[in-house]
């Protein structure tokens, strides 16, 4: 796990522990991080999770080893999870504040903020890809590192189809839609299409018929869950699909921007404070000392409760559902993917993979986020059929932004960086894009 001192690592370990009883489970987890203090804190949470697991009579927990040496971490691994945050939360704050000073959206993955984050992250992701290719050429890389679409595409230049990007937002949307329809998500087929953080659920098939049109007619059911509350029944009906929550920044750009601008702190600022006190508290706790897990879990809950707070504020102010606070999206996708590959248990997951002709109008090497069939040989995107012009148009525009970002990050080209920012549909002026680039002191490699 690269970014092994990261806050969400215990979620992954939780699913590994649940899986430990099954055949062919993982035996060892190596946590790699550049920061030994963070590694120590997270290792303390994991050791308490392992103790709880064996206390309940569970099968042997995967052992945990920590290291700050990348090559050592990669040695003999079957799966590499990458979930790093280059520049830390300080970087995230800059990605928010620099565009905001220009009245542009500063967000972790969307708008100018996402481009700045990509520019900083891609060189590091490429280095990782090269080390994986050299040290663990047979490993599968599961990329959580944001901006996940462009990072996965950049890494695929080195690793081909051995890198697979994942995100919890499509699976969360599908689960919520199934619940609103009154069906078990495992019995439904979800027709979802897009790029990472830019997608639409177009059909929900149950017993061979699409149940989405009926849901779209039912205001109460529609506004009973997150996406319905964010976008409103009228717009969802007009659109004829359920957008990924991140499309709120596009469809309600003005309101989202205003809410972010008016908030006391940006998401990055809030998290920097929250996470600082979490890691500080854990550094005062001895390894094996009870309480690390409780501290982590309380912090996790607060993080979940405050997720996308400004967007919720901008759409009327509402609280997240209990069932959306438990996590389980992010880690379950990762485990299901790993299992499908390791045990050759074919399954369908919404993943970030090269399109290879699955999406008409999108070129073969472009990483898209679509339902994909996974087995021991990797992930294959399923053919999506025709894409509506407004969806394809937005996808192509964002793909151009992602590719300009990759080009700028790899070559250091200022022109490519300017193109990346100025072509973003949420950046409304080339001069403003130039100011953002200047303020971010982009210097390439
Ligand atoms: C979701 C997205 C991730 C993103 C995260 C941000 O899980 O799918 O890509 O990083 O939210 O959450 P945060 O608590 O860091 O604002
Ligand atoms: Mn995501």
């Amino acid at each position: 796990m690269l970014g092994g001192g990261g806050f969400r690592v215990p979620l992954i370990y939780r699913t590994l522990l649940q899986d430990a009883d099954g055949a062919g489970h993982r035996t060892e987890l190596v946590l790699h991080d550049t920061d030994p203090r963070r590694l120590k804190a997270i290792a303390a949470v994991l050791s308490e999770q392992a103790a709880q697991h064996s206390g309940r009579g569970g099968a042997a927990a995967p052992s945990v080893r920590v290291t700050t040496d990348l090559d050592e971490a990669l040695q003999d691994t079957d799966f590499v999870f990458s979930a790093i945050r280059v520049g830390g939360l300080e970087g995230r704050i800059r990605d928010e504040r620099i565009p905001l000073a220009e009245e542009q959206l500063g967000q972790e993955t969307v708008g100018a903020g996402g481009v700045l984050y990509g520019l900083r992250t891609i060189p590091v992701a490429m280095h990782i890809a090269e080390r994986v290719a050299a040290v663990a050429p047979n490993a599968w890389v599961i990329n959580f590192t944001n901006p996940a679409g462009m990072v996965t595409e950049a890494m695929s230049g080195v690793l081909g189809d051995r890198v697979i990007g994942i995100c919890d937002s499509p699976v969360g949307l599908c689960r919520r839609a199934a619940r609103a329809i009154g069906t078990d998500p495992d019995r439904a087929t979800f027709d979802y299409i897009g790029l990472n953080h830019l997608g639409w659920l177009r059909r929900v098939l149950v017993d061979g018929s699409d149940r989405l049109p009926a849901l779209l007619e039912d205001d109460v059911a529609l506004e009973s869950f997150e996406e319905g509350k964010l976008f409103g029944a009228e717009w969802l009906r007009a659109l004829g699909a359920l957008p990924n929550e991140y499309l709120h920044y596009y469809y309600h750009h003005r309101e989202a921007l205003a809410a972010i601008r008016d908030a006391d702190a940006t998401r990055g600022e809030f998290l920097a404070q929250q996470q600082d006190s979490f890691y500080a508290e854990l550094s005062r706790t001895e390894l094996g000392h009870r309480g690390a897990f409780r501290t982590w879990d309380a912090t996790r809950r607060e993080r979940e409760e405050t997720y996308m707070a400004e967007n919720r504020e901008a759409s009327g102010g509402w609280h997240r559902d209990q069932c959306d606070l438990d996590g389980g999206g992010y880690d379950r996708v990762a485990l299901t993917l790993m299992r499908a590959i390791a045990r050759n248990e074919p399954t369908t997951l919404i993943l970030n993979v090269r399109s290879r002709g699955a999406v008409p109008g999108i070129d073969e090497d472009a990483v898209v986020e679509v339902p994909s069939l996974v087995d021991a040989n990797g992930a294959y995107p399923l053919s999506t059929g025709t894409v509506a012009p407004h969806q394809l148009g937005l996808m192509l525009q964002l793909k151009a932004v992602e590719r300009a970002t990759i080009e700028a990050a790899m070559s250091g080209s200022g022109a490519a960086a300017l193109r990346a920012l100025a072509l973003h549909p949420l950046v409304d002026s080339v001069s403003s894009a130039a100011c953002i680039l200047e303020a971010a002191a982009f210097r390439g490699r």
Side-chain angles (χ1 to χ4, degrees):
M1 183 105 209
L2 309 179
F7 187 75
R8 291 195 173 95
V9 170
L11 289 173
I12 301 287
Y13 196 56
R14 177 178 76 183
T15 52
L16 289 177
L17 287 173
Q18 285 161 2
D19 195 50
D21 301 322
H25 63 269
R26 304 294 101 203
T27 51
E28 188 189 32
L29 176 62
V30 185
L31 306 181
H32 171 271
D33 205 287
T34 50
D35 181 347
R37 178 169 158 262
R38 288 165 64 89
L39 275 178
K40 195 169 160 235
I42 293 301
V45 179
L46 267 46
S47 91
E48 214 176 304
Q49 286 177 287
Q52 284 168 10
H53 174 79
S54 55
R56 285 192 297 266
S63 64
V64 176
R65 184 156 56 86
V66 302
T67 176
T68 53
D69 184 302
L70 179 61
D71 281 12
E72 187 192 316
L74 295 174
Q75 217 88 53
D76 300 324
T77 51
D78 304 315
F79 291 96
V80 179
F81 290 80
S82 175
I84 59 172
R85 188 179 292 285
V86 179
L89 285 166
E90 289 309 312
R92 184 166 175 180
I93 295 170
R94 278 196 302 279
D95 299 340
E96 294 165 339
R97 283 292 173 199
I98 291 171
L100 277 175
E102 277 293 320
E103 290 283 307
Q104 310 286 357
L105 178 70
Q107 205 277 333
E108 183 192 22
T109 61
V110 182
V115 172
L116 295 180
Y117 190 24
L119 289 173
R120 186 168 65 249
T121 305
I122 287 163
V124 180
M126 292 306 281
H127 173 69
I128 290 171
E130 279 153 17
R131 292 323 300 156
V132 171
V135 178
N138 295 321
W140 293 92
V141 177
I142 302 179
N143 180 58
F144 300 99
T145 296
N146 270 329
M150 57 173 107
V151 168
T152 304
E153 182 158 325
M155 292 178 91
S156 75
V158 176
L159 296 168
D161 295 322
R162 285 208 167 256
V163 57
I164 299 169
I166 69 174
C167 177
D168 56 349
S169 61
V171 74
L173 166 59
C174 293
R175 227 172 25 211
R176 288 186 285 270
R179 211 182 297 132
I181 284 167
T183 191
D184 175 359
D186 293 334
R187 288 202 48 221
T189 298
F190 301 97
D191 175 0
Y192 182 92
I193 171 120
L195 305 183
N196 181 238
H197 291 186
L198 187 96
W200 300 265
L201 179 57
R202 306 185 300 181
R203 288 184 306 157
V204 180
L205 300 172
V206 184
D207 297 329
S209 63
D210 182 12
R211 303 280 294 275
L212 192 57
L215 175 61
L216 290 172
E217 289 306 318
D218 182 345
D219 280 20
V220 175
L222 208 47
E223 294 191 355
S224 71
F225 66 101
E226 187 175 309
E227 286 76 7
K229 289 177 183 146
L230 270 179
F231 298 103
E234 189 189 358
W235 173 233
L236 296 182
R237 234 181 338 264
L239 197 57
L242 301 180
N244 182 292
E245 59 196 5
Y246 279 85
L247 274 158
H248 190 256
Y249 294 110
Y250 294 79
Y251 294 147
H252 291 273
H253 180 217
R254 181 188 296 212
E255 294 82 357
L257 182 57
I260 291 174
R261 201 193 42 217
D262 297 344
D264 293 338
T266 64
R267 180 65 174 163
E269 287 162 351
F270 167 78
L271 287 175
Q273 219 185 31
Q274 187 214 43
Q275 298 280 302
D276 273 357
S277 47
F278 165 75
Y279 284 100
E281 184 169 342
L282 277 245
S283 71
R284 291 191 293 269
T285 318
E286 285 307 305
L287 192 69
H289 177 85
R290 294 259 169 167
F293 180 80
R294 204 175 45 225
T295 307
W296 171 79
D297 199 43
T299 311
R300 180 196 69 76
R301 206 173 163 82
E302 185 193 44
R303 187 171 186 160
E304 291 292 349
E305 279 164 0
T306 53
Y307 174 65
M308 281 200 158
E310 288 84 16
N311 309 72
R312 284 184 284 112
E313 194 53 44
S315 51
W318 45 276
H319 293 292
R320 297 189 77 198
D321 274 347
Q322 198 56 36
C323 35
D324 290 327
L325 299 176
D326 297 334
Y330 173 84
D331 40 309
R332 243 185 290 154
V333 182
L335 183 77
T336 313
L337 171 60
M338 199 164 76
R339 247 196 214 159
I341 295 175
R343 301 186 192 160
N344 195 24
E345 284 175 5
T347 190
T348 303
L349 291 170
I350 298 171
L351 300 170
N352 289 270
V353 291
R354 295 198 284 194
S355 85
R356 292 153 155 189
V359 189
I362 298 271
D363 71 85
E364 300 254 319
D365 293 336
V367 166
V368 290
E369 190 169 81
V370 291
S372 307
L373 182 69
V374 199
D375 63 18
N377 296 305
Y380 303 84
L382 298 169
S383 171
T384 64
T386 309
V387 187
H390 72 92
Q391 294 165 334
L392 184 60
L394 209 44
M395 286 170 70
L396 287 170
Q397 186 74 20
L398 261 297
K399 189 45 78 182
V401 168
E402 290 184 2
R403 286 183 163 164
T405 310
I406 295 171
E407 183 192 335
M410 286 173 49
S411 68
S413 155
L418 182 60
R419 245 187 298 122
L421 279 168
L423 290 179
H424 199 296
L426 299 183
V427 175
D428 65 7
S429 151
V430 175
S431 349
S432 179
C435 291
I436 291 171
L437 208 53
E438 175 83 32
F442 170 72
R443 274 186 210 91
R445 288 226 277 181

